[in-house]
Amino acid sequence: MFIFGSILSPWAWILILVLALILFGPGKLPELGKGLGKAIRGFKEEVKDKEDNVE
């Protein structure tokens, strides 16, 4: 069980952001965000391609 009740609560997101700042520093966060965005985009494209091939 989460301490804050739900991963979607604002306090959980604040905690995640603070931990990311501590672990990676403010200079690396834009790089990490860009990499995460590319990964999510690539995943969505692959899922869409698979769905198109099934139909």
Side-chain angles (χ1 to χ4, degrees):
M1 186 166 110
F2 293 107
I3 294 172
F4 299 106
S6 171
I7 193 69
L8 298 177
S9 72
W11 288 111
W13 286 107
I14 292 170
L15 178 65
I16 292 168
L17 179 61
V18 168
L19 288 174
L21 281 171
I22 291 170
L23 290 174
F24 301 110
K28 287 283 186 183
L29 285 182
E31 270 183 55
L32 292 171
K34 187 188 299 186
L36 184 61
K38 283 182 181 179
I40 291 172
R41 237 176 292 141
F43 178 76
K44 283 183 176 181
E45 288 173 5
E46 288 297 320
V47 168
K48 184 178 177 187
D49 289 344
K50 297 280 183 189
E51 288 177 352
D52 290 343
N53 288 338
V54 171
E55 293 174 357

mmCIF file of all heavy atoms in Angstrom:
data_model
loop_
_atom_site.group_PDB
_atom_site.id
_atom_site.type_symbol
_atom_site.label_atom_id
_atom_site.label_comp_id
_atom_site.label_asym_id
_atom_site.label_seq_id
_atom_site.Cartn_x
_atom_site.Cartn_y
_atom_site.Cartn_z
ATOM 1 N N MET A 1 0.847 -1.186 0.000
ATOM 2 C CA MET A 1 0.000 0.000 0.000
ATOM 3 C C MET A 1 0.893 1.250 0.000
ATOM 4 O O MET A 1 1.907 1.308 0.671
ATOM 5 C CB MET A 1 -0.897 -0.007 1.228
ATOM 6 C CG MET A 1 -1.891 1.113 1.230
ATOM 7 S SD MET A 1 -3.169 0.854 2.435
ATOM 8 C CE MET A 1 -2.747 2.115 3.585
ATOM 9 N N PHE A 2 0.503 2.231 -0.769
ATOM 10 C CA PHE A 2 1.264 3.471 -0.845
ATOM 11 C C PHE A 2 1.012 4.325 0.385
ATOM 12 O O PHE A 2 -0.076 4.353 0.935
ATOM 13 C CB PHE A 2 0.871 4.278 -2.093
ATOM 14 C CG PHE A 2 1.281 3.603 -3.365
ATOM 15 C CD1 PHE A 2 0.344 3.018 -4.175
ATOM 16 C CD2 PHE A 2 2.613 3.544 -3.727
ATOM 17 C CE1 PHE A 2 0.711 2.382 -5.333
ATOM 18 C CE2 PHE A 2 2.996 2.921 -4.885
ATOM 19 C CZ PHE A 2 2.040 2.326 -5.693
ATOM 20 N N ILE A 3 2.032 5.031 0.774
ATOM 21 C CA ILE A 3 1.918 5.921 1.925
ATOM 22 C C ILE A 3 0.904 7.030 1.637
ATOM 23 O O ILE A 3 0.139 7.422 2.492
ATOM 24 C CB ILE A 3 3.294 6.541 2.269
ATOM 25 C CG1 ILE A 3 4.245 5.447 2.735
ATOM 26 C CG2 ILE A 3 3.160 7.623 3.323
ATOM 27 C CD1 ILE A 3 5.677 5.906 2.912
ATOM 28 N N PHE A 4 0.892 7.506 0.400
ATOM 29 C CA PHE A 4 0.048 8.640 0.050
ATOM 30 C C PHE A 4 -1.306 8.216 -0.497
ATOM 31 O O PHE A 4 -2.061 9.036 -0.986
ATOM 32 C CB PHE A 4 0.767 9.521 -0.968
ATOM 33 C CG PHE A 4 2.054 10.066 -0.426
ATOM 34 C CD1 PHE A 4 3.270 9.566 -0.841
ATOM 35 C CD2 PHE A 4 2.045 11.061 0.529
ATOM 36 C CE1 PHE A 4 4.452 10.060 -0.339
ATOM 37 C CE2 PHE A 4 3.224 11.573 1.038
ATOM 38 C CZ PHE A 4 4.431 11.063 0.612
ATOM 39 N N GLY A 5 -1.643 6.940 -0.485
ATOM 40 C CA GLY A 5 -2.955 6.483 -0.918
ATOM 41 C C GLY A 5 -2.981 6.022 -2.359
ATOM 42 O O GLY A 5 -3.456 4.956 -2.662
ATOM 43 N N SER A 6 -2.476 6.813 -3.254
ATOM 44 C CA SER A 6 -2.535 6.486 -4.675
ATOM 45 C C SER A 6 -1.344 7.108 -5.388
ATOM 46 O O SER A 6 -0.873 8.173 -5.024
ATOM 47 C CB SER A 6 -3.836 7.026 -5.281
ATOM 48 O OG SER A 6 -3.810 6.897 -6.679
ATOM 49 N N ILE A 7 -0.882 6.438 -6.420
ATOM 50 C CA ILE A 7 0.239 6.968 -7.205
ATOM 51 C C ILE A 7 -0.202 8.210 -7.978
ATOM 52 O O ILE A 7 0.624 9.003 -8.401
ATOM 53 C CB ILE A 7 0.805 5.873 -8.141
ATOM 54 C CG1 ILE A 7 2.150 6.284 -8.725
ATOM 55 C CG2 ILE A 7 -0.161 5.573 -9.258
ATOM 56 C CD1 ILE A 7 3.267 6.338 -7.769
ATOM 57 N N LEU A 8 -1.490 8.410 -8.138
ATOM 58 C CA LEU A 8 -1.986 9.564 -8.878
ATOM 59 C C LEU A 8 -2.194 10.798 -8.011
ATOM 60 O O LEU A 8 -2.543 11.853 -8.529
ATOM 61 C CB LEU A 8 -3.315 9.196 -9.569
ATOM 62 C CG LEU A 8 -3.221 8.075 -10.604
ATOM 63 C CD1 LEU A 8 -4.604 7.757 -11.140
ATOM 64 C CD2 LEU A 8 -2.285 8.444 -11.719
ATOM 65 N N SER A 9 -1.968 10.667 -6.709
ATOM 66 C CA SER A 9 -2.169 11.819 -5.834
ATOM 67 C C SER A 9 -1.076 12.857 -6.066
ATOM 68 O O SER A 9 0.054 12.515 -6.423
ATOM 69 C CB SER A 9 -2.176 11.386 -4.370
ATOM 70 O OG SER A 9 -0.882 11.038 -3.959
ATOM 71 N N PRO A 10 -1.383 14.118 -5.883
ATOM 72 C CA PRO A 10 -0.379 15.167 -6.088
ATOM 73 C C PRO A 10 0.853 14.995 -5.195
ATOM 74 O O PRO A 10 1.969 15.274 -5.614
ATOM 75 C CB PRO A 10 -1.118 16.451 -5.738
ATOM 76 C CG PRO A 10 -2.556 16.126 -5.859
ATOM 77 C CD PRO A 10 -2.693 14.671 -5.565
ATOM 78 N N TRP A 11 0.675 14.522 -3.965
ATOM 79 C CA TRP A 11 1.811 14.354 -3.063
ATOM 80 C C TRP A 11 2.762 13.285 -3.572
ATOM 81 O O TRP A 11 3.981 13.408 -3.409
ATOM 82 C CB TRP A 11 1.340 14.020 -1.653
ATOM 83 C CG TRP A 11 0.715 15.212 -0.993
ATOM 84 C CD1 TRP A 11 -0.593 15.377 -0.684
ATOM 85 C CD2 TRP A 11 1.384 16.417 -0.601
ATOM 86 N NE1 TRP A 11 -0.784 16.606 -0.116
ATOM 87 C CE2 TRP A 11 0.410 17.263 -0.044
ATOM 88 C CE3 TRP A 11 2.694 16.855 -0.670
ATOM 89 C CZ2 TRP A 11 0.714 18.527 0.435
ATOM 90 C CZ3 TRP A 11 3.007 18.120 -0.177
ATOM 91 C CH2 TRP A 11 2.015 18.936 0.366
ATOM 92 N N ALA A 12 2.239 12.242 -4.196
ATOM 93 C CA ALA A 12 3.103 11.198 -4.743
ATOM 94 C C ALA A 12 3.946 11.758 -5.887
ATOM 95 O O ALA A 12 5.138 11.457 -5.991
ATOM 96 C CB ALA A 12 2.263 10.019 -5.221
ATOM 97 N N TRP A 13 3.355 12.588 -6.750
ATOM 98 C CA TRP A 13 4.098 13.183 -7.865
ATOM 99 C C TRP A 13 5.160 14.143 -7.368
ATOM 100 O O TRP A 13 6.263 14.206 -7.914
ATOM 101 C CB TRP A 13 3.147 13.887 -8.848
ATOM 102 C CG TRP A 13 2.390 12.895 -9.656
ATOM 103 C CD1 TRP A 13 1.074 12.582 -9.535
ATOM 104 C CD2 TRP A 13 2.904 12.051 -10.692
ATOM 105 N NE1 TRP A 13 0.736 11.611 -10.431
ATOM 106 C CE2 TRP A 13 1.840 11.268 -11.161
ATOM 107 C CE3 TRP A 13 4.155 11.900 -11.261
ATOM 108 C CZ2 TRP A 13 2.008 10.329 -12.183
ATOM 109 C CZ3 TRP A 13 4.323 10.959 -12.278
ATOM 110 C CH2 TRP A 13 3.248 10.195 -12.722
ATOM 111 N N ILE A 14 4.853 14.884 -6.327
ATOM 112 C CA ILE A 14 5.842 15.800 -5.738
ATOM 113 C C ILE A 14 7.015 15.005 -5.177
ATOM 114 O O ILE A 14 8.180 15.365 -5.387
ATOM 115 C CB ILE A 14 5.188 16.693 -4.656
ATOM 116 C CG1 ILE A 14 4.216 17.666 -5.313
ATOM 117 C CG2 ILE A 14 6.239 17.430 -3.831
ATOM 118 C CD1 ILE A 14 3.341 18.428 -4.346
ATOM 119 N N LEU A 15 6.729 13.907 -4.496
ATOM 120 C CA LEU A 15 7.782 13.057 -3.952
ATOM 121 C C LEU A 15 8.652 12.489 -5.069
ATOM 122 O O LEU A 15 9.886 12.485 -4.970
ATOM 123 C CB LEU A 15 7.174 11.924 -3.123
ATOM 124 C CG LEU A 15 8.172 10.931 -2.544
ATOM 125 C CD1 LEU A 15 9.077 11.619 -1.531
ATOM 126 C CD2 LEU A 15 7.445 9.767 -1.927
ATOM 127 N N ILE A 16 8.040 12.024 -6.150
ATOM 128 C CA ILE A 16 8.786 11.484 -7.286
ATOM 129 C C ILE A 16 9.683 12.558 -7.895
ATOM 130 O O ILE A 16 10.845 12.304 -8.218
ATOM 131 C CB ILE A 16 7.817 10.894 -8.331
ATOM 132 C CG1 ILE A 16 7.152 9.641 -7.761
ATOM 133 C CG2 ILE A 16 8.532 10.595 -9.632
ATOM 134 C CD1 ILE A 16 5.991 9.135 -8.569
ATOM 135 N N LEU A 17 9.165 13.769 -8.066
ATOM 136 C CA LEU A 17 9.945 14.862 -8.632
ATOM 137 C C LEU A 17 11.135 15.221 -7.738
ATOM 138 O O LEU A 17 12.252 15.405 -8.224
ATOM 139 C CB LEU A 17 9.067 16.088 -8.858
ATOM 140 C CG LEU A 17 9.757 17.313 -9.431
ATOM 141 C CD1 LEU A 17 10.336 17.009 -10.809
ATOM 142 C CD2 LEU A 17 8.798 18.478 -9.516
ATOM 143 N N VAL A 18 10.914 15.289 -6.445
ATOM 144 C CA VAL A 18 12.002 15.610 -5.514
ATOM 145 C C VAL A 18 13.074 14.522 -5.554
ATOM 146 O O VAL A 18 14.273 14.828 -5.601
ATOM 147 C CB VAL A 18 11.454 15.807 -4.083
ATOM 148 C CG1 VAL A 18 12.571 15.847 -3.056
ATOM 149 C CG2 VAL A 18 10.621 17.073 -4.000
ATOM 150 N N LEU A 19 12.666 13.266 -5.568
ATOM 151 C CA LEU A 19 13.637 12.177 -5.648
ATOM 152 C C LEU A 19 14.424 12.217 -6.953
ATOM 153 O O LEU A 19 15.638 11.989 -6.964
ATOM 154 C CB LEU A 19 12.929 10.826 -5.500
ATOM 155 C CG LEU A 19 12.424 10.501 -4.099
ATOM 156 C CD1 LEU A 19 11.621 9.205 -4.119
ATOM 157 C CD2 LEU A 19 13.576 10.403 -3.114
ATOM 158 N N ALA A 20 13.753 12.527 -8.060
ATOM 159 C CA ALA A 20 14.444 12.631 -9.344
ATOM 160 C C ALA A 20 15.463 13.767 -9.316
ATOM 161 O O ALA A 20 16.571 13.624 -9.840
ATOM 162 C CB ALA A 20 13.435 12.838 -10.465
ATOM 163 N N LEU A 21 15.097 14.893 -8.725
ATOM 164 C CA LEU A 21 16.033 16.012 -8.617
ATOM 165 C C LEU A 21 17.251 15.645 -7.788
ATOM 166 O O LEU A 21 18.382 16.001 -8.118
ATOM 167 C CB LEU A 21 15.337 17.238 -8.019
ATOM 168 C CG LEU A 21 14.467 18.042 -8.959
ATOM 169 C CD1 LEU A 21 13.671 19.087 -8.176
ATOM 170 C CD2 LEU A 21 15.310 18.716 -10.015
ATOM 171 N N ILE A 22 17.027 14.920 -6.709
ATOM 172 C CA ILE A 22 18.134 14.522 -5.836
ATOM 173 C C ILE A 22 19.039 13.518 -6.547
ATOM 174 O O ILE A 22 20.267 13.631 -6.500
ATOM 175 C CB ILE A 22 17.599 13.937 -4.507
ATOM 176 C CG1 ILE A 22 16.949 15.050 -3.681
ATOM 177 C CG2 ILE A 22 18.708 13.260 -3.717
ATOM 178 C CD1 ILE A 22 16.189 14.563 -2.471
ATOM 179 N N LEU A 23 18.443 12.540 -7.215
ATOM 180 C CA LEU A 23 19.231 11.476 -7.839
ATOM 181 C C LEU A 23 19.983 11.944 -9.081
ATOM 182 O O LEU A 23 21.134 11.573 -9.290
ATOM 183 C CB LEU A 23 18.323 10.295 -8.206
ATOM 184 C CG LEU A 23 17.778 9.493 -7.044
ATOM 185 C CD1 LEU A 23 16.787 8.448 -7.545
ATOM 186 C CD2 LEU A 23 18.903 8.815 -6.278
ATOM 187 N N PHE A 24 19.327 12.725 -9.940
ATOM 188 C CA PHE A 24 19.899 13.055 -11.234
ATOM 189 C C PHE A 24 20.378 14.494 -11.355
ATOM 190 O O PHE A 24 21.152 14.811 -12.246
ATOM 191 C CB PHE A 24 18.890 12.763 -12.353
ATOM 192 C CG PHE A 24 18.455 11.326 -12.376
ATOM 193 C CD1 PHE A 24 17.172 10.982 -12.003
ATOM 194 C CD2 PHE A 24 19.329 10.337 -12.764
ATOM 195 C CE1 PHE A 24 16.772 9.663 -12.028
ATOM 196 C CE2 PHE A 24 18.936 9.019 -12.786
ATOM 197 C CZ PHE A 24 17.651 8.679 -12.424
ATOM 198 N N GLY A 25 19.896 15.367 -10.527
ATOM 199 C CA GLY A 25 20.258 16.770 -10.612
ATOM 200 C C GLY A 25 19.439 17.486 -11.663
ATOM 201 O O GLY A 25 18.898 16.870 -12.579
ATOM 202 N N PRO A 26 19.327 18.798 -11.547
ATOM 203 C CA PRO A 26 18.477 19.551 -12.471
ATOM 204 C C PRO A 26 19.000 19.580 -13.902
ATOM 205 O O PRO A 26 18.241 19.748 -14.841
ATOM 206 C CB PRO A 26 18.444 20.952 -11.877
ATOM 207 C CG PRO A 26 19.602 21.032 -10.956
ATOM 208 C CD PRO A 26 19.894 19.640 -10.506
ATOM 209 N N GLY A 27 20.291 19.381 -14.103
ATOM 210 C CA GLY A 27 20.845 19.417 -15.456
ATOM 211 C C GLY A 27 20.492 18.208 -16.299
ATOM 212 O O GLY A 27 20.383 18.296 -17.518
ATOM 213 N N LYS A 28 20.301 17.065 -15.667
ATOM 214 C CA LYS A 28 20.031 15.824 -16.394
ATOM 215 C C LYS A 28 18.539 15.596 -16.639
ATOM 216 O O LYS A 28 18.170 14.793 -17.487
ATOM 217 C CB LYS A 28 20.568 14.617 -15.614
ATOM 218 C CG LYS A 28 22.049 14.493 -15.636
ATOM 219 C CD LYS A 28 22.487 13.937 -16.962
ATOM 220 C CE LYS A 28 23.980 13.677 -16.938
ATOM 221 N NZ LYS A 28 24.472 13.215 -18.185
ATOM 222 N N LEU A 29 17.672 16.258 -15.922
ATOM 223 C CA LEU A 29 16.232 16.002 -16.055
ATOM 224 C C LEU A 29 15.691 16.264 -17.462
ATOM 225 O O LEU A 29 14.890 15.469 -17.956
ATOM 226 C CB LEU A 29 15.442 16.793 -15.010
ATOM 227 C CG LEU A 29 15.526 16.239 -13.592
ATOM 228 C CD1 LEU A 29 14.667 17.070 -12.654
ATOM 229 C CD2 LEU A 29 15.134 14.788 -13.518
ATOM 230 N N PRO A 30 16.092 17.332 -18.153
ATOM 231 C CA PRO A 30 15.589 17.503 -19.528
ATOM 232 C C PRO A 30 16.002 16.354 -20.454
ATOM 233 O O PRO A 30 15.212 15.906 -21.273
ATOM 234 C CB PRO A 30 16.215 18.820 -19.982
ATOM 235 C CG PRO A 30 16.490 19.568 -18.728
ATOM 236 C CD PRO A 30 16.828 18.516 -17.707
ATOM 237 N N GLU A 31 17.225 15.864 -20.290
ATOM 238 C CA GLU A 31 17.685 14.724 -21.084
ATOM 239 C C GLU A 31 16.851 13.486 -20.800
ATOM 240 O O GLU A 31 16.464 12.762 -21.708
ATOM 241 C CB GLU A 31 19.141 14.399 -20.751
ATOM 242 C CG GLU A 31 20.156 15.106 -21.595
ATOM 243 C CD GLU A 31 21.559 14.654 -21.220
ATOM 244 O OE1 GLU A 31 21.840 13.449 -21.244
ATOM 245 O OE2 GLU A 31 22.354 15.549 -20.890
ATOM 246 N N LEU A 32 16.596 13.244 -19.523
ATOM 247 C CA LEU A 32 15.797 12.089 -19.142
ATOM 248 C C LEU A 32 14.375 12.210 -19.674
ATOM 249 O O LEU A 32 13.800 11.232 -20.143
ATOM 250 C CB LEU A 32 15.771 11.939 -17.617
ATOM 251 C CG LEU A 32 17.083 11.548 -16.969
ATOM 252 C CD1 LEU A 32 16.976 11.640 -15.463
ATOM 253 C CD2 LEU A 32 17.486 10.157 -17.385
ATOM 254 N N GLY A 33 13.807 13.397 -19.612
ATOM 255 C CA GLY A 33 12.454 13.622 -20.133
ATOM 256 C C GLY A 33 12.383 13.388 -21.634
ATOM 257 O O GLY A 33 11.430 12.783 -22.133
ATOM 258 N N LYS A 34 13.384 13.862 -22.348
ATOM 259 C CA LYS A 34 13.419 13.677 -23.792
ATOM 260 C C LYS A 34 13.519 12.192 -24.138
ATOM 261 O O LYS A 34 12.818 11.691 -25.013
ATOM 262 C CB LYS A 34 14.601 14.425 -24.396
ATOM 263 C CG LYS A 34 14.604 14.402 -25.913
ATOM 264 C CD LYS A 34 15.877 14.977 -26.510
ATOM 265 C CE LYS A 34 16.081 16.413 -26.127
ATOM 266 N NZ LYS A 34 17.242 17.027 -26.820
ATOM 267 N N GLY A 35 14.376 11.478 -23.435
ATOM 268 C CA GLY A 35 14.532 10.046 -23.668
ATOM 269 C C GLY A 35 13.264 9.270 -23.354
ATOM 270 O O GLY A 35 12.872 8.366 -24.091
ATOM 271 N N LEU A 36 12.601 9.646 -22.268
ATOM 272 C CA LEU A 36 11.348 8.990 -21.897
ATOM 273 C C LEU A 36 10.267 9.265 -22.930
ATOM 274 O O LEU A 36 9.508 8.369 -23.306
ATOM 275 C CB LEU A 36 10.897 9.467 -20.513
ATOM 276 C CG LEU A 36 9.654 8.819 -19.938
ATOM 277 C CD1 LEU A 36 9.863 7.327 -19.760
ATOM 278 C CD2 LEU A 36 9.299 9.472 -18.618
ATOM 279 N N GLY A 37 10.195 10.487 -23.421
ATOM 280 C CA GLY A 37 9.221 10.835 -24.456
ATOM 281 C C GLY A 37 9.443 10.046 -25.734
ATOM 282 O O GLY A 37 8.486 9.551 -26.347
ATOM 283 N N LYS A 38 10.701 9.895 -26.140
ATOM 284 C CA LYS A 38 11.013 9.110 -27.336
ATOM 285 C C LYS A 38 10.617 7.654 -27.143
ATOM 286 O O LYS A 38 10.090 7.008 -28.054
ATOM 287 C CB LYS A 38 12.500 9.195 -27.669
ATOM 288 C CG LYS A 38 12.917 10.477 -28.309
ATOM 289 C CD LYS A 38 14.393 10.441 -28.655
ATOM 290 C CE LYS A 38 14.850 11.733 -29.284
ATOM 291 N NZ LYS A 38 16.292 11.700 -29.592
ATOM 292 N N ALA A 39 10.879 7.120 -25.966
ATOM 293 C CA ALA A 39 10.540 5.725 -25.684
ATOM 294 C C ALA A 39 9.033 5.504 -25.726
ATOM 295 O O ALA A 39 8.548 4.530 -26.313
ATOM 296 C CB ALA A 39 11.097 5.316 -24.327
ATOM 297 N N ILE A 40 8.279 6.421 -25.135
ATOM 298 C CA ILE A 40 6.817 6.290 -25.136
ATOM 299 C C ILE A 40 6.271 6.414 -26.552
ATOM 300 O O ILE A 40 5.389 5.651 -26.961
ATOM 301 C CB ILE A 40 6.182 7.342 -24.193
ATOM 302 C CG1 ILE A 40 6.519 7.000 -22.747
ATOM 303 C CG2 ILE A 40 4.673 7.424 -24.399
ATOM 304 C CD1 ILE A 40 6.124 8.062 -21.756
ATOM 305 N N ARG A 41 6.794 7.366 -27.322
ATOM 306 C CA ARG A 41 6.366 7.534 -28.717
ATOM 307 C C ARG A 41 6.649 6.275 -29.540
ATOM 308 O O ARG A 41 5.802 5.811 -30.308
ATOM 309 C CB ARG A 41 7.072 8.731 -29.336
ATOM 310 C CG ARG A 41 6.098 9.759 -29.881
ATOM 311 C CD ARG A 41 6.827 10.972 -30.400
ATOM 312 N NE ARG A 41 7.415 11.623 -29.225
ATOM 313 C CZ ARG A 41 8.605 12.190 -29.163
ATOM 314 N NH1 ARG A 41 9.361 12.259 -30.180
ATOM 315 N NH2 ARG A 41 9.065 12.726 -28.069
ATOM 316 N N GLY A 42 7.826 5.712 -29.367
ATOM 317 C CA GLY A 42 8.188 4.494 -30.081
ATOM 318 C C GLY A 42 7.284 3.333 -29.710
ATOM 319 O O GLY A 42 6.855 2.562 -30.563
ATOM 320 N N PHE A 43 6.968 3.225 -28.421
ATOM 321 C CA PHE A 43 6.073 2.165 -27.960
ATOM 322 C C PHE A 43 4.684 2.325 -28.566
ATOM 323 O O PHE A 43 4.091 1.349 -29.046
ATOM 324 C CB PHE A 43 5.994 2.181 -26.430
ATOM 325 C CG PHE A 43 5.065 1.149 -25.868
ATOM 326 C CD1 PHE A 43 5.444 -0.181 -25.825
ATOM 327 C CD2 PHE A 43 3.817 1.505 -25.385
ATOM 328 C CE1 PHE A 43 4.596 -1.136 -25.315
ATOM 329 C CE2 PHE A 43 2.964 0.555 -24.870
ATOM 330 C CZ PHE A 43 3.355 -0.774 -24.826
ATOM 331 N N LYS A 44 4.166 3.547 -28.569
ATOM 332 C CA LYS A 44 2.838 3.797 -29.152
ATOM 333 C C LYS A 44 2.809 3.446 -30.636
ATOM 334 O O LYS A 44 1.845 2.865 -31.125
ATOM 335 C CB LYS A 44 2.438 5.267 -28.974
ATOM 336 C CG LYS A 44 1.979 5.615 -27.590
ATOM 337 C CD LYS A 44 1.550 7.069 -27.543
ATOM 338 C CE LYS A 44 0.994 7.463 -26.219
ATOM 339 N NZ LYS A 44 0.559 8.857 -26.183
ATOM 340 N N GLU A 45 3.867 3.807 -31.354
ATOM 341 C CA GLU A 45 3.934 3.503 -32.787
ATOM 342 C C GLU A 45 3.946 1.995 -33.029
ATOM 343 O O GLU A 45 3.272 1.505 -33.929
ATOM 344 C CB GLU A 45 5.162 4.156 -33.413
ATOM 345 C CG GLU A 45 5.057 5.654 -33.535
ATOM 346 C CD GLU A 45 6.354 6.306 -33.990
ATOM 347 O OE1 GLU A 45 7.321 5.570 -34.309
ATOM 348 O OE2 GLU A 45 6.397 7.544 -34.028
ATOM 349 N N GLU A 46 4.700 1.260 -32.222
ATOM 350 C CA GLU A 46 4.755 -0.190 -32.376
ATOM 351 C C GLU A 46 3.405 -0.831 -32.077
ATOM 352 O O GLU A 46 2.980 -1.744 -32.779
ATOM 353 C CB GLU A 46 5.828 -0.795 -31.461
ATOM 354 C CG GLU A 46 7.230 -0.500 -31.911
ATOM 355 C CD GLU A 46 7.547 -1.107 -33.259
ATOM 356 O OE1 GLU A 46 7.134 -2.248 -33.528
ATOM 357 O OE2 GLU A 46 8.208 -0.428 -34.067
ATOM 358 N N VAL A 47 2.731 -0.357 -31.037
ATOM 359 C CA VAL A 47 1.416 -0.899 -30.696
ATOM 360 C C VAL A 47 0.432 -0.606 -31.819
ATOM 361 O O VAL A 47 -0.349 -1.470 -32.221
ATOM 362 C CB VAL A 47 0.911 -0.320 -29.346
ATOM 363 C CG1 VAL A 47 -0.551 -0.644 -29.125
ATOM 364 C CG2 VAL A 47 1.765 -0.844 -28.208
ATOM 365 N N LYS A 48 0.478 0.596 -32.370
ATOM 366 C CA LYS A 48 -0.419 0.968 -33.466
ATOM 367 C C LYS A 48 -0.139 0.106 -34.697
ATOM 368 O O LYS A 48 -1.064 -0.369 -35.352
ATOM 369 C CB LYS A 48 -0.257 2.444 -33.813
ATOM 370 C CG LYS A 48 -1.226 2.917 -34.865
ATOM 371 C CD LYS A 48 -1.062 4.392 -35.155
ATOM 372 C CE LYS A 48 -2.014 4.788 -36.257
ATOM 373 N NZ LYS A 48 -1.830 6.137 -36.716
ATOM 374 N N ASP A 49 1.139 -0.110 -35.017
ATOM 375 C CA ASP A 49 1.500 -0.960 -36.160
ATOM 376 C C ASP A 49 0.988 -2.386 -35.963
ATOM 377 O O ASP A 49 0.480 -3.007 -36.886
ATOM 378 C CB ASP A 49 3.001 -0.972 -36.372
ATOM 379 C CG ASP A 49 3.528 0.339 -36.918
ATOM 380 O OD1 ASP A 49 2.708 1.153 -37.410
ATOM 381 O OD2 ASP A 49 4.759 0.567 -36.854
ATOM 382 N N LYS A 50 1.116 -2.909 -34.750
ATOM 383 C CA LYS A 50 0.628 -4.263 -34.458
ATOM 384 C C LYS A 50 -0.885 -4.332 -34.620
ATOM 385 O O LYS A 50 -1.411 -5.297 -35.152
ATOM 386 C CB LYS A 50 1.023 -4.700 -33.043
ATOM 387 C CG LYS A 50 2.487 -4.811 -32.805
ATOM 388 C CD LYS A 50 3.009 -6.104 -33.351
ATOM 389 C CE LYS A 50 4.496 -6.179 -32.997
ATOM 390 N NZ LYS A 50 5.162 -7.250 -33.618
ATOM 391 N N GLU A 51 -1.596 -3.301 -34.131
ATOM 392 C CA GLU A 51 -3.057 -3.275 -34.263
ATOM 393 C C GLU A 51 -3.461 -3.201 -35.721
ATOM 394 O O GLU A 51 -4.423 -3.844 -36.145
ATOM 395 C CB GLU A 51 -3.650 -2.090 -33.495
ATOM 396 C CG GLU A 51 -3.602 -2.252 -32.000
ATOM 397 C CD GLU A 51 -4.120 -1.031 -31.260
ATOM 398 O OE1 GLU A 51 -4.368 -0.002 -31.909
ATOM 399 O OE2 GLU A 51 -4.274 -1.114 -30.036
ATOM 400 N N ASP A 52 -2.744 -2.421 -36.531
ATOM 401 C CA ASP A 52 -3.048 -2.313 -37.951
ATOM 402 C C ASP A 52 -2.822 -3.640 -38.667
ATOM 403 O O ASP A 52 -3.589 -4.014 -39.563
ATOM 404 C CB ASP A 52 -2.195 -1.220 -38.608
ATOM 405 C CG ASP A 52 -2.601 0.174 -38.159
ATOM 406 O OD1 ASP A 52 -3.711 0.324 -37.612
ATOM 407 O OD2 ASP A 52 -1.798 1.113 -38.351
ATOM 408 N N ASN A 53 -1.795 -4.377 -38.272
ATOM 409 C CA ASN A 53 -1.506 -5.668 -38.895
ATOM 410 C C ASN A 53 -2.539 -6.730 -38.525
ATOM 411 O O ASN A 53 -2.803 -7.636 -39.296
ATOM 412 C CB ASN A 53 -0.108 -6.149 -38.508
ATOM 413 C CG ASN A 53 0.969 -5.339 -39.191
ATOM 414 O OD1 ASN A 53 0.737 -4.710 -40.210
ATOM 415 N ND2 ASN A 53 2.151 -5.340 -38.597
ATOM 416 N N VAL A 54 -3.122 -6.631 -37.328
ATOM 417 C CA VAL A 54 -4.136 -7.592 -36.888
ATOM 418 C C VAL A 54 -5.409 -7.409 -37.697
ATOM 419 O O VAL A 54 -6.071 -8.368 -38.046
ATOM 420 C CB VAL A 54 -4.395 -7.453 -35.378
ATOM 421 C CG1 VAL A 54 -5.580 -8.270 -34.950
ATOM 422 C CG2 VAL A 54 -3.147 -7.844 -34.587
ATOM 423 N N GLU A 55 -5.751 -6.188 -37.983
ATOM 424 C CA GLU A 55 -6.984 -5.913 -38.736
ATOM 425 C C GLU A 55 -6.746 -6.263 -40.150
ATOM 426 O O GLU A 55 -7.195 -6.806 -40.957
ATOM 427 C CB GLU A 55 -7.358 -4.448 -38.633
ATOM 428 C CG GLU A 55 -7.756 -4.044 -37.243
ATOM 429 C CD GLU A 55 -7.985 -2.547 -37.143
ATOM 430 O OE1 GLU A 55 -7.782 -1.828 -38.133
ATOM 431 O OE2 GLU A 55 -8.370 -2.105 -36.073
#
